[in-house]
Amino acid sequence: MAKEASNGSQTPASKPPPTPSPLRNSKFFQANMRILITGGAGFIGSHLVDKLMQNEKNEVIVADNYFTGSKDNLQKWIGHPRFELIRHDVTEPLLIEVDRIYHLACPASPIFYKYNPVKTIKTNVIGTLNMLGLAKRVGARILLTSTSEVYGDPLEHPQKEEYWGNVNPIGVRSCYDEGKRVAETLMFDYHRQHGIEIRIARIFNTYGPRMNIDDGRVVSNFIAQALRDEALTVQAPGTQTRSFCYVSDMVDGLVRLMEGEHTGPINIGNPGEFTMMELAETVKELINPSVPINVVENTPDDPRQRKPDITKAKELLGWEPKVKLRDGLPLMEEDFRLRLGVQKK
Ligand SMILES: NC(=O)c1ccc[n+]([C@@H]2O[C@H](COP(=O)([O-])OP(=O)(O)OC[C@H]3O[C@@H](n4cnc5c(N)ncnc54)[C@H](O)[C@@H]3O)[C@@H](O)[C@H]2O)c1
Ligand SMILES: O=c1ccn([C@@H]2O[C@H](COP(=O)(O)OP(=O)(O)O[C@H]3OC[C@@H](O)[C@H](O)[C@H]3O)[C@@H](O)[C@H]2O)c(=O)[nH]1
């Protein structure tokens, strides 16, 4: 299944980008950059809001349907003159004037994206079409948060961007991984056909404060279980690997990609690779040495290994992750303790 990619991914646009909105050139022109973040009430999106709001030249608009996100994640910005929050489902068109679109809207945890798979694929396909339509209409640059899941159960390791992947097109994860693959295709078709400025990030497993406590993803599960004195549930066989990136590193990579010159796709992730059993042992050691570790049944099509090759991110964006897993886990523990009301013993 492993094939070499053609160099289509870096083909320059055949047409110049559409002209930005006339508002940009009006006498009321403001130097501010108006930035839309779809899915901005979610885990990564809300950290991205925090980062972009630090720059006083930015106006940030979040559009979110609150399926897995929450207003709580944005509490400190609600009412701020440079911030706006819209309840909006990206499967419907959105007519606003912006300069940048960070398109994150999509449930990311397998239990949530499998809950309503038809809605998940609509979000990926129709949602991305709508955001590309918006980018085309107003001449905005658009960044898609794609995923390491486009590599499926990878037969090449670590995964380079040129790898085409090994994805089951009819499995229970397909609404998400095939959905993101179509979203990438749409991005490149709009780029080639309409001259839209695009950026594609392939995000690898990311963790940190504000993940939903019962989100179902492995790091949030293990930390919540350790704090609740429950057994850590390692899904069989436990030898499958993942590479975990701390959220502050992730948003730094996304902003660099957006403001850089390269369309991508570019892998953004931390190459430190752990088996799920190693992760469970680390959480146990750091947070609660008395909890047991149970091996439980896994779900279909679980990728057996995953580790990003980040050569492109290093060379083209000058980016590499700074936070090691052992340093990031305690920061997430602190946030989970506060939200669960569990004091340190
Ligand atoms: N966290 C990771 O490890 C990871 C890895 C790879 C890719 N990604 C991608 O990054 C993005 C953000 O992931 P996250 O971890 O913050 O997930 P998350 O579930 O916390 O955030 C997703 C946000 O999108 C919103 N949303 C979902 N469907 C929507 C719709 N139809 N219309 C409007 N809003 C909608 C949710 O309410 C939520 O606020 C997603 O696109 C995900 O696929 C994340
Ligand atoms: O309680 C758990 C949960 C999960 N796991 C295992 O941990 C590994 C990671 O599972 P997660 O559910 O956290 O995330 P996955 O890597 O499967 O998918 C993620 O990939 C990248 C993103 O696009 C998404 O955030 C998500 O789809 C899997 O092997 C899973 O079997 C456990 O061992 N125990």
Side-chain angles (χ1 to χ4, degrees):
M1 243 338 205
K3 286 187 189 168
E4 286 300 306
S6 70
N7 67 353
S9 60
Q10 292 298 329
T11 307
S14 53
K15 291 182 187 174
T19 41
S21 154
L23 284 178
R24 285 278 124 197
N25 304 317
S26 78
K27 63 180 178 179
F28 302 111
F29 173 76
Q30 296 173 347
N32 288 4
M33 179 76 80
R34 205 175 288 161
I35 303 170
L36 169 65
I37 306 180
T38 73
F43 160 54
I44 298 178
S46 64
H47 286 275
L48 184 59
V49 171
D50 292 350
K51 177 152 180 104
L52 293 171
M53 284 295 290
Q54 282 166 15
N55 182 341
E56 290 187 1
K57 291 269 182 208
N58 290 339
E59 288 175 27
V60 175
I61 302 170
V62 165
D64 200 298
N65 71 352
Y66 308 124
F67 174 46
T68 52
S70 160
K71 285 183 197 170
D72 291 344
N73 291 335
L74 299 168
Q75 207 56 56
K76 69 175 165 210
W77 300 118
I78 292 171
H80 192 288
R82 288 188 287 109
F83 180 76
E84 219 174 313
L85 179 56
I86 309 171
R87 179 188 287 271
H88 177 80
D89 193 307
V90 292
T91 58
E92 300 292 333
L94 179 62
L95 297 176
I96 55 174
E97 311 296 323
V98 289
D99 307 292
R100 297 277 188 265
I101 302 169
Y102 285 90
H103 179 38
L104 279 70
C106 179
S109 166
I111 56 169
F112 285 99
Y113 70 62
K114 291 183 206 168
Y115 167 76
N116 185 343
V118 173
K119 178 66 196 237
T120 300
I121 201 152
K122 278 187 183 170
T123 297
N124 277 318
V125 179
I126 302 172
T128 303
L129 264 173
N130 282 332
M131 290 309 115
L132 282 162
L134 173 62
K136 182 177 166 214
R137 185 176 65 82
V138 299
R141 182 181 293 177
I142 178 169
L143 180 150
L144 170 74
T145 51
S146 184
T147 167
S148 51
E149 294 224 8
V150 299
Y151 302 120
D153 187 11
L155 305 177
E156 282 187 14
H157 194 71
Q159 291 78 51
K160 287 195 173 79
E161 290 85 350
E162 288 73 23
Y163 178 49
W164 285 1
N166 177 38
V167 177
N168 176 358
I170 56 166
V172 291
R173 297 175 87 101
S174 312
C175 58
Y176 184 76
D177 49 32
E178 293 287 24
K180 289 282 187 181
R181 286 165 70 97
V182 174
E184 288 196 13
T185 307
L186 286 168
M187 294 281 286
F188 267 93
D189 285 340
Y190 266 72
H191 174 58
R192 285 183 288 251
Q193 195 172 334
H194 299 299
I196 304 293
E197 286 191 273
I198 60 158
R199 304 287 183 265
I200 297 178
R202 289 193 181 145
I203 298 182
F204 283 64
N205 297 59
T206 302
Y207 71 101
R210 293 194 198 140
M211 285 186 93
N212 280 327
I213 287 174
D214 295 307
D215 171 281
R217 284 181 272 187
V218 69
V219 184
S220 42
N221 271 8
F222 287 177
I223 292 186
Q225 287 162 343
L227 292 176
R228 288 167 167 155
D229 281 319
E230 292 167 7
L232 309 190
T233 53
V234 172
Q235 293 173 351
T239 49
Q240 70 272 33
T241 66
R242 293 293 187 274
S243 304
F244 298 102
C245 185
Y246 191 68
V247 66
S248 57
D249 284 331
M250 178 55 56
V251 296
D252 179 35
L254 294 178
V255 174
R256 280 173 191 248
L257 175 60
M258 176 64 106
E259 297 309 328
E261 297 305 314
H262 301 275
T263 59
I266 296 189
N267 291 337
I268 315 244
N270 189 322
E273 186 185 9
F274 300 85
T275 67
M276 292 312 99
M277 189 53 85
E278 283 168 345
L279 176 69
E281 279 159 359
T282 309
V283 169
K284 178 178 160 119
E285 178 205 320
L286 293 176
I287 300 178
N288 185 351
S290 58
V291 284
I293 297 177
N294 287 353
V295 176
V296 301
E297 204 181 332
N298 205 337
T299 52
D301 292 340
D302 184 40
R304 281 165 290 184
Q305 53 182 356
R306 191 182 282 163
K307 171 183 170 150
D309 180 314
I310 58 163
T311 311
K312 277 203 170 132
K314 280 185 185 163
E315 286 175 358
L316 303 179
L317 309 179
W319 176 89
E320 63 182 315
K322 297 190 180 82
V323 183
K324 294 195 187 82
L325 185 65
R326 278 184 171 271
D327 299 328
L329 288 175
L331 301 174
M332 188 163 163
E333 175 194 353
E334 216 176 286
D335 169 66
F336 270 45
R337 277 191 191 282
L338 273 176
R339 285 195 281 155
L340 285 169
V342 178
Q343 306 285 331
K344 212 163 182 134
K345 285 174 197 157

